[in-house]
Amino acid sequence: MISGTPSSRSASASEGSDELLAGLISAFHSDLRRIARCERFRVGAGATLCTTALISEAWIKLQRAPGWENEQHFLATAALAMRQVLVGDAERRFASKRNAGAVPISLDEEIDAPDEADEQILQVNEALERLAELSPRLAQVVECRFFAGYSEDETALALGITDRTVRRDWVKARAWLYRALGEGAPDDAGEVSGAASA
Amino acid sequence: MIAEAPRPGGDAARFARIEALLDAALDQPSQARQVFLEQACVDDPAMHREVLDLLAAVSASEGFLEAAPFLPQAAPAPTLGPWRLVRPIGRGGMGEVWLAERADGRFEQQVAIKLLHRLGAGEDTGFLREQRLLARLEHPGIARLLDAGALPDGRPYMVMEYVDGAAWSNHIRSLAHERRLALFLQVCDAVAFAHRHLVIHCDLKPENILVRRDGRVALLDFGIARRLDGEAGQTCDLRLTPRYAAPEQLSGEARSTLTDVYALGLLLHELLTDRSPWGELVGAGPIAMLQRARMGPPPPPSACAPSPARARLLRGDLDAIVSKALRPEPAARYASVEALAEDLRRHLAHRTVAARGDALGYRLRRLLRRYWVAAAAVAVVFVGLVAALSAISLAHEEALRERDIAQTEARRSKAVRDYLALMFRDAARSAGEGTPLTAKAVLDQAASRVAADFSADPATSAAVLKALGELHFHINDYAAAVPLLRRWLEHEADIADPNAAADVRFTLAEAVHRMGQGEEARRLLAAAQRYWETDPPRHADVLLTSRMLQARLQREDGDPEGALAVLEAALRERRARSGDEHYETAALLTNLGAAYVQSGRLDEGIDVSRRALALWERLQLGAGNDALNTLNNLAAAYFRKNDLERAEETFARALDLRRTLFGPSAATAALIGNYARVLQRLGRWDEALALGTEAEAMALAHAGSSSLLVQAMRVARAETLLALGQPGPAREALEAFSREDPAPLPVALRLRAALGTAEAAQRQKDRPAAADALAQAERLLGEAGAEAVEHAARLEALRRALPRP
């Protein structure tokens, strides 16, 4: 189809990040899913280098799409996109476990068994939503480091802060999540620093 | 539990204080933190408790959410089959590497065991096949695979020969130049051996090369290698090391043995210069590096050499060898690792190397020794380049001295044109000896030389860079001109020459406009004109020249009458200034002719174009680029008037001339495409399809997929295919058209595309698509106005064929 008058073009260029995020997710769904799979490995074991390559690739392919303000904007949006794919996949696997046998499994999507990594992803995701209310930046750092697998440098670039700040934020956010997820303190379930009843 | 509804604002403020206290505490030495917090929270015990909690969590959470080791550290010497793991010796994206030894004590043997991450569904069979393949790689330069298997939980492992050697980077540091090259040749031999066994490495880098105690190399990590016989794997991407990756890996295209050639080129570069060829980019983030790698080879080794002595050693053969290995396009690299190694051996034996086969000066020296006569023609071209470039820099200095821009500008343009005329003539003459020496080859050579010199002496190189950008532009190689000119603008602040900057912007505007980037062209042109208009008398000439591009942009913006007015005014002013017999007058006449044709005033267009053509001949530029464009325009006018006989004759004449004088370029492609359209109209469909296909491929290479040129050719090819009764391929061509953003293209073209889509869909009985396209066409017809009258009948016919729902 031939489409797009000048006016519709300028409209799409000025649309917000939601549009870009959706574009990124749909254009790179399988790539992002591959990342997600690596990330799942990462949660349980072993570092990964896959994000860097795929993000670079995505950037090369998408940099000419209208609406990207700059590399920083791109990286931050890509991190969010990866979080969504990762969480979406984990949810899907959980759902497929519950529905095992009841729902035909699509042939072109590989659905493997949910595992403890999925559970952790979902838990972190949920806790992160709460952390975002307290400190959006800490939550973003986790998004970049944990979900997107960015290095400290890449995270610094994505968020426009120094790598020293990234290191410190990561330490704090991790400590907060550690408590929020009740790691090492099972009795303390649900108690959240900063939102604790006073 | 949280007892009450959260108060986001209050919670956030409170958390900010907690965070600040935590920060402050973390800044204290660990033994002072408790006391510090007690004092800081003396009147808020609740907060004190929370910060203490978080502080405790800081140390407890170390490693939480981060990569955990595969096997618990505490596990005492776990065993794996007959192997006892001793200690971890490495870690990468695919897993961990452990040093291990025989557990059964039957004999002493150390091995390296790679523990991989769990594989996805369906990947395990691939893994086993790969292991069998790798086990066949028995070569002294490759660490051997001894065994492979899987842990009870399914995680695969590989048992590799343990190489007790020195790290590549450390080892070569102590070696002299020639010893380094000898070692590098060993690496080449090992990689070439793997290639013969259909295995590519895909991740060659210093970390994967060890040097044994006996001085032989051992390549590690063929674990991610892929077979060459068509099993494209994804795993390779996941292990990408951007610093050593080839452009095709970065863009996800097919990898091949040439990918390893590229990595070897980077390795060689680093070996020769003791630093990464990407220099400071290494720290600048992977994306910057990827973009850079796709632009072209890094600066040659001699430009990165740590000392002038080393630079002298590298200049020439080694620069050429490295740059041939590092071409972004795989096909331009060495055809194999053997070819790369062979060239290095030739260099070491002081024989001529293949990499410099197309290097002009090198060939020149060889030729001079052998055939004086044959060399003469080549020398003329070379001298022509030198003369033109020095004339340019001379003119530039004069300009600064005399502030007589107009005059020096004219001289500068003349120098460029003189040189080009000379070069084209001689390019034609010297085509006899071996590979034809084209103007483009001469310029490419000059461009790579100036690129090499630029970092050493930016000030001097700037003028040459600019001239070369302009020269590439003049032979219509926009894809080559654009990076040169952009590069100049990157150094704009250092060069500090606003006059030259306006020039460069203008040329760049012309180039990007022809590559279909109208918006950027408008911006660049406006910036240049803004500068010139600060002193109009001084910049009168160039301002007049710039009106031609301005008019073209205006026309494309949907204002053909305004465009004509701009040109007519410019022509009047030009005649008054320079007289009738002047290059710029002829150029304006050519443009005006084109503008008349394009706004449908065909007789005026033909008249003005013929006058322009006659003027070119009087100026003895009847065989030049501009005259060719004029011929093209004239032929187009005949075509539009439906005087097909004259159109065919004129196009044939133009094409003949262009093919004789120029290599493939965007302009050649445009001309072939136009000729194809005449044949199309004459009903010579098969000829039209062959030429149109040739033209489209050429245009794609030289102008880019989104350019007006390529887009127009897609539409024309679709029309030819429809006439030949092939609606399927026609629709594919039009789908390619729609994949690029068609919005900035002329309405008439979009209209033809819509009509073509409608017809193809109709013939395929795809009624909804046909109706859609037809509705689109109707809308576009309304938009197009007079320009598209000729298409109204076709639209009507298609509409009648498609019953309205």
Side-chain angles (χ1 to χ4, degrees):
Chain A
M1 277 306 298
I2 294 168
S3 64
T5 59
S7 60
S8 77
R9 271 208 313 149
S10 59
S12 80
S14 64
E15 266 155 25
S17 273
D18 284 356
E19 191 79 4
L20 294 170
L21 178 62
L24 192 65
I25 290 178
S26 83
F28 288 93
H29 203 86
S30 62
D31 282 350
L32 287 170
R33 182 155 294 159
R34 271 201 284 151
I35 293 180
R37 216 168 59 203
C38 300
E39 289 310 300
R40 229 149 50 76
F41 294 147
R42 195 172 66 89
V43 173
T48 179
L49 299 173
C50 43
T51 310
T52 300
L54 289 169
I55 280 307
S56 308
E57 205 174 288
W59 167 254
I60 284 172
K61 292 181 188 160
L62 275 190
Q63 58 184 326
R64 285 198 193 82
W68 299 118
E69 286 149 33
N70 48 35
E71 183 177 347
Q72 177 184 339
H73 179 209
F74 179 88
L75 283 172
T77 313
L80 185 59
M82 277 189 266
R83 176 179 170 187
Q84 295 198 356
V85 169
L86 195 57
V87 169
D89 269 13
E91 281 171 346
R92 213 164 37 84
R93 274 188 296 268
F94 260 76
S96 77
K97 185 187 185 188
R98 278 195 300 274
N99 295 335
V103 175
I105 291 172
S106 150
L107 285 181
D108 43 33
E109 288 187 26
E110 81 183 59
I111 296 180
D112 29 24
D115 54 23
E116 66 287 0
D118 284 331
E119 205 172 322
Q120 188 173 35
I121 283 168
L122 296 175
Q123 284 174 350
V124 171
N125 182 56
E126 194 206 348
L128 206 55
E129 277 163 24
R130 283 179 282 150
L131 179 58
E133 284 173 16
L134 300 175
S135 168
R137 195 180 77 198
L138 288 192
Q140 276 185 302
V141 167
V142 176
E143 192 163 278
C144 289
R145 296 284 279 122
F146 178 72
F147 283 107
Y150 288 174
S151 67
E152 280 167 2
D153 289 349
E154 285 165 333
T155 305
L157 197 58
L159 302 181
I161 55 183
T162 66
D163 52 353
R164 189 181 173 279
T165 306
V166 170
R167 268 195 296 284
R168 174 57 65 84
D169 281 357
W170 177 231
V171 164
K172 288 185 293 190
R174 206 171 50 189
W176 189 90
L177 286 169
Y178 188 78
R179 293 200 65 243
L181 296 178
E183 297 281 336
D187 300 339
D188 205 1
E191 178 98 2
V192 173
S193 295
S197 49
Chain B
M1 293 301 295
I2 301 168
E4 54 197 86
R7 294 160 292 120
D11 289 342
R14 184 176 166 80
F15 186 74
R17 280 174 55 213
I18 293 175
E19 225 195 306
L21 282 168
L22 186 59
D23 273 332
L26 286 168
D27 287 337
Q28 306 281 330
S30 53
Q31 67 276 17
R33 287 175 188 164
Q34 302 279 352
V35 180
F36 166 81
L37 285 178
E38 259 164 49
Q39 287 167 353
C41 307
V42 73
D43 45 5
D44 192 343
M47 182 164 297
H48 183 215
R49 207 172 47 242
E50 282 168 32
V51 180
L52 274 182
D53 267 6
L54 271 179
L55 193 59
V58 163
S59 32
S61 67
E62 211 164 292
F64 178 54
L65 299 183
E66 283 189 295
F70 243 108
L71 300 166
Q73 296 287 16
T79 57
L80 211 59
W83 307 105
R84 182 170 48 242
L85 302 187
V86 179
R87 60 186 157 88
I89 52 178
R91 192 151 164 191
M94 293 294 280
E96 299 190 348
V97 187
W98 285 70
L99 175 67
E101 57 192 16
R102 289 296 289 206
D104 53 14
R106 288 206 299 192
F107 49 90
E108 272 188 37
Q109 186 183 7
Q110 289 194 319
V111 294
I113 295 188
K114 257 180 109 161
L115 286 165
L116 302 177
H117 297 304
R118 202 168 14 179
L119 296 166
E123 278 178 344
D124 41 353
T125 49
F127 174 77
L128 289 176
R129 197 167 47 225
E130 224 161 73
Q131 300 323 303
R132 280 199 294 276
L133 191 77
L134 292 174
R136 293 212 311 255
L137 284 185
E138 282 191 45
H139 185 275
I142 298 173
R144 280 194 55 198
L145 175 73
L146 302 171
D147 189 13
L151 297 177
D153 67 359
R155 282 177 293 170
Y157 65 88
M158 297 157 70
V159 182
M160 319 282 301
E161 171 193 3
Y162 174 68
V163 180
D164 181 18
W168 171 261
S169 303
N170 290 337
H171 184 79
I172 58 167
R173 206 163 294 145
S174 61
L175 296 183
H177 176 71
E178 299 213 339
R179 293 276 310 282
R180 292 184 184 195
L181 288 180
L183 212 58
F184 178 77
L185 282 170
Q186 282 191 39
V187 176
C188 290
D189 289 345
V191 177
F193 174 84
H195 286 181
R196 283 197 296 277
H197 287 78
L198 304 183
V199 176
I200 47 181
H201 192 293
C202 272
D203 196 25
L204 284 167
K205 55 183 177 184
E207 290 83 342
N208 282 337
I209 307 172
L210 293 177
V211 183
R212 300 176 201 262
R213 291 177 193 279
D214 64 3
R216 287 177 317 157
V217 303
L219 291 186
L220 310 179
D221 232 359
F222 266 97
I224 58 150
R226 310 304 304 189
R227 299 190 64 161
L228 294 182
D229 51 6
E231 286 173 49
Q234 305 280 313
T235 334
C236 202
D237 285 337
L238 303 185
R239 283 296 308 273
L240 205 67
T241 312
R243 194 172 154 187
Y244 294 98
E248 66 269 22
Q249 280 173 291
L250 305 176
S251 55
E253 288 156 45
R255 297 171 297 269
S256 68
T257 53
L258 300 179
T259 308
D260 283 346
V261 169
Y262 190 93
L264 285 170
L266 287 175
L267 203 62
L268 178 58
H269 197 303
E270 219 169 289
L271 173 98
L272 295 171
T273 60
D274 288 328
R275 66 183 80 173
S276 167
W278 300 123
E280 56 210 43
L281 268 179
V282 168
I287 289 170
M289 198 139 66
L290 312 192
Q291 288 174 313
R292 174 61 189 84
R294 283 164 28 115
M295 288 293 287
S302 64
C304 312
S307 69
R310 184 87 73 91
R312 272 195 301 280
L313 198 62
L314 304 181
R315 206 168 287 136
D317 284 354
L318 289 169
D319 275 356
I321 289 171
V322 169
S323 110
K324 190 164 171 64
L326 291 180
R327 300 302 302 251
E329 60 284 20
R333 291 173 207 152
Y334 283 106
S336 66
V337 175
E338 278 105 338
L340 165 63
E342 169 61 18
D343 235 10
L344 265 181
R345 292 197 170 95
R346 291 177 72 90
H347 163 72
L348 288 170
H350 304 289
R351 285 152 64 206
T352 56
V353 303
R356 302 182 68 186
D358 55 351
L360 190 69
Y362 185 71
R363 248 185 74 188
L364 191 60
R365 279 196 300 282
R366 263 174 49 226
L367 280 172
L368 280 174
R369 255 179 277 131
R370 286 160 54 201
Y371 313 105
W372 271 106
V373 182
V378 182
V380 167
V381 175
F382 196 63
V383 168
L385 177 63
V386 173
L389 293 180
S390 41
I392 288 160
S393 69
L394 210 73
H396 179 72
E397 279 164 28
E398 266 175 48
L400 291 177
R401 200 166 55 242
E402 300 172 11
R403 300 179 55 81
D404 184 358
I405 305 294
Q407 215 192 333
T408 48
E409 265 308 292
R411 213 175 310 163
R412 188 186 59 88
S413 313
K414 190 171 177 305
V416 171
R417 277 195 302 272
D418 283 354
Y419 161 64
L420 284 170
L422 198 68
M423 192 165 56
F424 293 143
R425 206 184 58 216
D426 290 302
R429 277 192 199 153
S430 64
E433 211 267 331
T435 44
L437 179 71
T438 61
K440 179 154 169 41
V442 177
L443 288 185
D444 283 348
Q445 167 63 17
S448 69
R449 191 170 307 159
V450 75
D453 291 339
F454 200 91
S455 43
D457 183 7
T460 321
S461 304
V464 183
L465 191 61
K466 173 166 176 280
L468 278 172
E470 286 167 354
L471 288 169
H472 272 102
F473 171 75
H474 278 276
I475 63 163
N476 307 306
D477 187 350
Y478 312 127
V482 167
L484 290 168
L485 296 169
R486 282 203 209 284
R487 182 119 179 258
W488 193 100
L489 285 176
E490 277 164 28
H491 294 274
E492 180 176 2
D494 305 324
I495 299 165
D497 180 351
N499 202 52
D503 264 7
V504 169
R505 284 205 168 79
F506 180 31
T507 313
L508 188 55
E510 294 259 29
V512 297
H513 168 247
R514 287 171 205 209
M515 292 177 82
Q517 295 154 22
E519 252 337 289
E520 196 189 351
R522 247 178 283 273
R523 221 169 32 245
L524 287 161
L525 179 66
Q529 287 181 331
R530 248 194 324 278
Y531 168 74
W532 294 322
E533 270 154 9
T534 57
D535 189 353
R538 186 174 155 201
H539 302 291
D541 270 305
V542 68
L543 261 173
L544 273 176
T545 307
S546 76
R547 300 295 175 213
M548 294 191 265
L549 177 60
Q550 184 190 333
R552 273 199 300 278
L553 291 168
Q554 222 167 323
R555 195 179 58 230
E556 283 161 23
D557 228 13
D559 181 13
E561 290 307 314
L564 274 175
V566 166
L567 285 175
E568 281 162 352
L571 182 61
R572 272 195 303 279
E573 205 182 323
R574 172 57 71 194
R575 280 217 170 94
R577 224 183 133 74
S578 320
D580 276 345
E581 309 262 314
H582 190 275
Y583 173 88
E584 295 289 342
T585 310
L588 264 168
L589 268 178
T590 298
N591 275 269
L592 185 59
Y596 279 131
V597 175
Q598 268 145 344
S599 37
R601 290 156 71 171
L602 299 178
D603 290 323
E604 284 157 291
I606 288 172
D607 177 51
V608 171
S609 296
R610 289 176 64 158
R611 272 162 51 206
L613 198 58
L615 184 50
W616 289 125
E617 271 157 20
R618 280 205 300 288
L619 291 168
Q620 313 213 314
L621 287 164
N625 192 22
D626 300 289
L628 276 171
N629 286 338
T630 316
L631 267 175
N632 197 1
N633 296 339
L634 185 59
Y638 286 133
F639 175 72
R640 294 253 199 122
K641 263 197 82 166
N642 220 13
D643 186 346
L644 296 179
E645 201 179 316
R646 280 217 181 85
E648 203 258 0
E649 184 192 333
T650 317
F651 272 132
R653 186 176 146 202
L655 183 55
D656 199 34
L657 190 55
R658 183 172 276 282
R659 281 208 205 260
T660 319
L661 294 181
F662 296 82
S665 73
T668 307
L671 187 53
I672 303 175
N674 284 340
Y675 188 40
R677 287 207 67 204
V678 180
L679 295 170
Q680 198 181 344
R681 190 68 71 87
L682 285 165
R684 288 151 67 176
W685 298 108
D686 290 319
E687 286 169 80
L689 184 61
L691 277 173
T693 309
E694 179 197 350
E696 196 179 315
M698 194 186 290
L700 202 58
H702 291 271
S705 177
S706 65
S707 65
L708 173 59
L709 191 59
V710 172
Q711 291 287 61
M713 284 173 176
R714 288 185 176 126
V715 174
R717 182 157 61 87
E719 288 167 348
T720 309
L721 285 163
L722 280 173
L724 288 167
Q726 301 175 30
R731 235 173 130 181
E732 278 162 28
L734 291 167
E735 273 156 14
F737 175 90
S738 301
R739 266 197 297 278
E740 304 293 340
D741 178 14
L745 300 174
V747 177
L749 185 65
R750 283 151 60 201
L751 174 59
R752 280 170 55 203
L755 288 168
T757 306
E759 190 179 334
Q762 214 168 69
R763 291 214 214 155
Q764 289 181 320
K765 311 262 184 272
D766 181 353
R767 185 147 309 167
D772 267 2
L774 213 52
Q776 183 95 40
E778 275 170 45
R779 214 164 37 249
L780 289 166
L781 188 70
E783 230 179 282
E787 229 184 309
V789 175
E790 49 180 317
H791 299 297
R794 188 168 164 222
L795 176 62
E796 194 46 47
L798 281 167
R799 191 159 30 200
R800 269 200 303 276
L802 184 86
R804 279 174 186 276

